[in-house]
Amino acid sequence: MWSSLIFEIFWMVLILSFFIPFIRANVQKSTREALIKQLEMKRKSRVITLIHRQESMSFFGLTFGRYINIEDSEEVLRAIKLTPVDMPIDIILHTPGGLVLAAEQIARALVRHKGKVTVFVPHYAMSGGTLIALAADEIVMDPNAVLGPLDPQIGSYPAPSILSVLEKKNINEIDDETLILADVAKKAIDQVRDFISCLLKEKVGEEKAKELAQTLSSGKWTHDYPITIETLKNMGLPVSDQMPEEVYQLMNLYKQAEQRRPSVQYIPAPYKSSEQNNKSLKF
């Protein structure tokens, strides 16, 4: 009897362990949608999230990275198409980058949209994410958030670094594969530079747009170099640090699932300063 009961309990626990992740995911999805709707009503806009984090698979607990891909661009374009032409669009952007094609598609669609486009960057938007941010009428960043350079990557190498080989070695000493990569690298840099210039000329003027496009795509910095809000302001770009609290709340709902002991841990509650505490004691 007891062995039968234990056996049944074992199978119940096992079945629940399979379904709990689905239940948790559905609850979290509903909470995200409610918060997105709240932000839309507050700002009278269409809110689109493009958030890439390491995701966990439901059954096996495995993780895999996320990047801007064609599926992302299809969904964002669909969301823009469902939005009235004069309605503002707010994009919450958190990404390490991804396919240039997908990022350019999103950027072009945002530029064509007649309503105001605002991109919110709570933490970082690198590479292709930066390209999307440059398409916005306004970029809102956390004071500690960063964007990144836009030098194209050919395979695992930065395009400007491949081109530099042609300057340092005699062409007769360079193998055919490197020469082919250098040809592709030059085309990629030219294409990205021209596109950045096109995105920025209405914001900063044609000459300044060409200068910024050269800076961002030429390989002046490494591909993971953090471009701060101060640097962007000095470039003359429309940047603000007035981040709505709802954006931070939404990011908390996209946290990576814990698989092991967390690397970062703290008491998740705001603390008042001593000055605020003293004020609260006054009548």
Side-chain angles (χ1 to χ4, degrees):
M1 176 181 174
W2 284 107
S3 60
S4 175
L5 181 60
I6 292 172
F7 184 76
E8 289 178 7
I9 291 173
F10 169 79
W11 278 107
M12 287 176 64
V13 170
L14 186 63
I15 292 169
L16 281 174
S17 68
F18 281 110
F19 282 102
I20 284 174
F22 289 106
I23 296 169
R24 186 184 295 122
N26 285 329
V27 170
Q28 194 170 53
K29 180 183 177 184
S30 299
T31 308
R32 289 173 184 170
E33 290 175 351
L35 193 52
I36 288 171
K37 192 64 181 175
Q38 178 182 323
L39 186 57
E40 286 183 335
M41 292 176 68
K42 176 180 177 180
R43 293 181 52 86
K44 297 179 173 57
S45 66
R46 160 83 72 182
V47 173
I48 304 170
T49 65
L50 185 53
I51 297 173
H52 293 129
R53 286 200 169 174
Q54 194 176 59
E55 302 284 352
S56 62
M57 296 174 66
S58 298
F59 292 123
F60 304 107
L62 302 176
T63 58
F64 56 95
R66 295 291 306 277
Y67 303 92
I68 301 172
N69 56 31
I70 294 300
E71 286 75 20
D72 290 328
S73 63
E74 287 176 356
E75 287 300 320
V76 174
L77 295 182
R78 191 171 293 116
I80 295 172
K81 194 175 183 63
L82 291 171
T83 306
V85 294
D86 57 346
M87 177 180 279
I89 287 178
D90 294 331
I91 294 191
I92 300 171
L93 192 59
H94 177 80
T95 180
L99 290 179
V100 174
L101 170 61
E104 281 197 12
Q105 278 189 304
I106 294 170
R108 289 182 189 279
L110 293 175
V111 168
R112 290 195 184 98
H113 186 71
K114 293 181 180 178
K116 181 181 179 181
V117 175
T118 306
V119 166
F120 295 95
V121 183
H123 298 297
Y124 69 92
M126 306 299 282
S127 190
T130 301
L131 199 64
I132 294 170
L134 294 180
D137 298 302
E138 182 182 18
I139 305 170
V140 179
M141 299 171 62
D142 179 88
N144 297 307
V146 296
L147 301 185
L150 289 162
D151 51 317
Q153 306 296 293
I154 309 298
S156 58
Y157 301 109
S161 297
I162 296 173
L163 280 182
S164 69
V165 175
L166 302 184
E167 300 170 1
K168 296 175 181 176
K169 295 184 71 173
N170 185 300
I171 193 168
N172 296 318
E173 299 175 355
I174 303 173
D175 62 274
D176 291 347
E177 183 178 355
T178 302
L179 290 173
I180 293 169
L181 288 175
D183 180 62
V184 174
K186 183 179 185 308
K187 291 174 183 175
I189 293 171
D190 290 344
Q191 289 166 193
V192 170
R193 185 180 61 241
D194 290 346
F195 186 65
I196 298 169
S197 181
C198 182
L199 287 179
L200 295 179
K201 65 181 179 181
E202 295 296 326
K203 300 180 180 69
V204 299
E206 190 166 351
E207 288 304 312
K208 183 68 173 177
K210 288 180 179 179
E211 178 189 331
L212 293 179
Q214 177 65 20
T215 299
L216 291 168
S217 65
S218 65
K220 174 183 177 181
W221 300 302
T222 59
H223 195 59
D224 62 350
Y225 178 81
I227 302 177
T228 64
I229 188 169
E230 291 80 14
T231 302
L232 293 166
K233 285 180 177 178
N234 291 335
M235 289 178 174
L237 295 175
V239 187
S240 162
D241 62 0
Q242 301 303 304
M243 184 74 68
E245 184 59 34
E246 290 87 349
V247 174
Y248 295 117
Q249 294 172 7
L250 195 58
M251 288 302 297
N252 283 333
L253 297 173
Y254 284 87
K255 281 189 174 180
Q256 175 182 326
E258 293 184 12
Q259 299 299 321
R260 299 186 180 92
R261 178 185 60 80
S263 300
V264 178
Q265 199 163 7
Y266 57 93
I267 306 301
Y271 291 155
K272 292 182 179 180
S273 66
S274 56
E275 183 179 346
Q276 288 174 314
N277 286 332
N278 290 337
K279 286 181 180 179
S280 65
L281 294 175
K282 295 178 181 179
F283 293 96

